[in-house]
Amino acid sequence: MKGLSINYNRFIQIAGVHDLDEAQLILNCGVNYLGFPLRLPVHKEDLSEKDAAEIIKSLNPPSFGILITYLNQSIEIINLCKKLGTQIVQLHGDIALNELAKLKNDAPDISIIKSLIVKNDNTQEQRKIVNKLSPWVDAFITDTYDSATGASGATGKTHDWQISRQMVELSPKPVILAGGLTPQNIKDAILFVKPAGVDSHTGVEDSDGRKDEKLVTEFVLKAKSAFKELMIEG
């Protein structure tokens, strides 16, 4: 596989794709990055790996499918990426430094996004992770921990944006903001945190858990407007 050059600047991801129709809806709303959570210890998968692979392999640049997983063994991550036909993986579980380095060395074509899970005020812990893992990842994504379920992402809950803002200022790699982002709060979140990109999952779903076209469209428009303001400020 030829290596990808992913631009994480003004990156917008919508995660939790259920089927091809929903994938097309998301693409039609102007989103280029679709997230597929698979092999999860907490949440139930939205679709099978076979169906995810069919959708991902149908996408053409600048649209891409992203594997979101808690896997922490390099060989398993590489094999699943190959099965799905994706070259971008978002790692939400704890992964040993040697496994992360092995993943990057054995599969340099795979772009790695590593989660930074915010739990109360764990700024110092996140600082250590950023400093330790930066050489081996292409971007970070801050997300919210849910103590009730043990989930590290797709919780529908926001966290202390001050922590995410500090990670943006500290990290030598792009930082994506996630965690309870909706059309109502996305602009304020971007203007305060100043992330490279954003991600939404449950925040753009209807009462049935399906992606809502109006919500996704509003989310994208407000996110792009906020990113434009940041460019003007800069």
Side-chain angles (χ1 to χ4, degrees):
M1 290 188 294
K2 185 179 179 180
L4 292 177
S5 178
I6 301 297
N7 183 3
Y8 288 105
N9 186 38
R10 289 178 285 171
F11 170 102
I12 299 175
Q13 174 179 246
I14 299 297
V17 181
H18 291 85
D19 52 38
L20 183 58
D21 286 343
E22 190 168 86
Q24 192 59 56
L25 179 154
I26 295 168
L27 293 171
N28 290 344
C29 292
V31 176
N32 287 331
Y33 298 96
L34 282 60
F36 296 81
L38 295 165
R39 300 197 190 178
L40 316 171
V42 178
H43 297 294
K44 179 182 178 182
E45 282 83 358
D46 301 299
L47 76 176
S48 69
E49 292 177 11
K50 179 177 179 293
D51 289 342
E54 289 180 0
I55 296 171
I56 291 171
K57 290 174 183 177
S58 74
L59 301 175
N60 296 305
S63 300
F64 301 95
I66 298 178
L67 166 62
I68 301 172
T69 186
Y70 285 76
L71 291 177
N72 59 13
Q73 299 298 305
S74 62
I75 187 62
E76 293 181 354
I77 296 167
I78 293 170
N79 286 341
L80 184 52
C81 283
K82 288 180 179 178
K83 178 180 180 181
L84 297 175
T86 183
Q87 290 174 259
I88 314 174
V89 63
Q90 188 171 311
L91 302 176
H92 270 265
D94 293 329
I95 183 169
L97 182 59
N98 66 307
E99 286 294 328
L100 189 61
K102 192 171 189 302
L103 171 60
K104 178 54 72 175
N105 288 327
D106 291 351
D109 52 289
I110 294 178
S111 188
I112 302 171
I113 304 171
K114 180 66 184 77
S115 67
L116 299 171
I117 304 304
V118 180
K119 307 176 185 178
N120 299 318
D121 184 9
N122 61 341
T123 306
Q124 293 306 313
E125 176 186 347
Q126 299 307 324
R127 284 177 177 273
K128 291 178 181 178
I129 292 174
V130 168
N131 289 329
K132 182 179 179 182
L133 303 186
S134 287
W136 307 106
V137 305
D138 299 281
F140 290 103
I141 183 167
T142 62
D143 213 334
T144 308
Y145 177 74
D146 187 349
S147 59
T149 64
S152 298
T155 64
K157 298 181 178 181
T158 57
H159 55 262
D160 184 351
W161 289 343
Q162 183 65 48
I163 296 177
S164 285
R165 179 169 175 161
Q166 290 178 28
M167 295 306 104
V168 169
E169 295 169 351
L170 170 72
S171 175
K173 296 296 175 69
V175 176
I176 301 159
L177 176 66
L181 297 180
T182 69
Q184 288 70 43
N185 66 15
I186 184 60
K187 190 164 187 177
D188 288 340
I190 290 174
L191 294 179
F192 181 78
V193 178
K194 301 182 180 180
V198 292
D199 162 272
S200 184
H201 186 151
T202 59
V204 290
E205 293 179 344
D206 60 24
S207 58
D208 295 325
R210 301 279 302 185
K211 298 301 180 290
D212 183 290
E213 185 174 6
K214 290 183 179 179
L215 292 177
V216 177
T217 299
E218 186 180 358
F219 182 90
V220 172
L221 289 175
K222 288 186 175 180
K224 288 183 175 180
S225 173
F227 283 133
K228 186 175 181 180
E229 281 193 35
L230 288 184
M231 290 180 64
I232 294 172
E233 289 177 5

